[in-house]
Amino acid sequence: MEILNQIVITDNIKLIRIKQNFDEEKLKVHLKKLKDKEIEDYLGFSENIEEEIEDIKGKIERKTNIYYAIYKQDEFIGWFYLYDIKERYRRANLSLGIQKDMRGHILSLDMVKSLLENLFSMGFNRLGLEIEDTNVKSLKLAKHLEQIGFQYEGKLRDNYGENINSHVWSLLKREYIK
């Protein structure tokens, strides 16, 4: 699979790949912008940014995750990453973290479609979403994603601890509705 270094979503929104020898200080500044309880809870961020940076470096090195910084014009507003990547099966799961003041404003279905088209063009066949049942905002977004072909697959009980369930959706390239 050919992994893109930059994904252009719109004239204003670009995703820039975070590579193995990334600027740790710059990433720390970016991650501090995203730091809030929702991000820690739903993206599994460590409270300690130093630990988070080490975790990111390890996952990039092992090629289990691919990270992108999201920029609106030249301002960092969030990040997107692919995790649990299985190149052999051409599949990955998706995760997204947006600055608190931009949540709900930056994502449109057209932007999501553009991102999906880029990911499928990279060679992915299956893209998955996993959302905790306490993450009400993201669960509402997932319902909209069903309009473009994501299929609900079910609930994983106690997936992230006692009484923390997650719901799973997936989208296959052949089922994607443009």
Side-chain angles (χ1 to χ4, degrees), residues 53-150:
I53 295 287
E54 288 304 311
D55 188 48
I56 290 166
K57 285 181 356 186
K59 290 174 179 174
I60 289 172
E61 189 175 306
R62 290 187 304 276
K63 298 181 180 180
T64 58
N65 289 20
I66 298 170
Y67 296 90
Y68 289 91
I70 304 172
Y71 292 93
K72 182 175 182 183
Q73 292 154 346
D74 291 328
E75 178 190 354
F76 173 83
I77 60 164
W79 79 341
F80 167 78
Y81 64 96
L82 299 158
Y83 68 97
D84 195 23
I85 297 168
K86 303 290 188 222
E87 280 194 50
R88 178 178 183 185
Y89 303 112
R90 299 180 315 141
R91 71 173 178 86
N93 289 328
L94 313 174
S95 192
L96 175 71
I98 300 287
Q99 278 179 208
K100 191 173 189 101
D101 61 335
M102 297 208 166
R103 291 180 197 151
H105 304 285
I106 203 69
L107 287 178
S108 68
L109 278 180
D110 288 338
M111 290 175 63
V112 171
K113 287 178 187 180
S114 177
L115 178 59
L116 293 171
E117 288 166 15
N118 277 280
L119 294 171
F120 286 135
S121 75
M122 282 189 238
F124 287 102
N125 179 57
R126 182 187 190 280
L127 300 171
L129 289 173
E130 196 175 303
I131 302 171
E132 292 178 22
D133 54 8
T134 56
N135 189 344
V136 177
K137 290 179 185 176
S138 291
L139 288 171
K140 287 180 183 177
L141 173 66
K143 293 297 180 187
H144 293 289
L145 294 177
E146 290 176 354
Q147 297 172 11
I148 56 175
F150 273 89

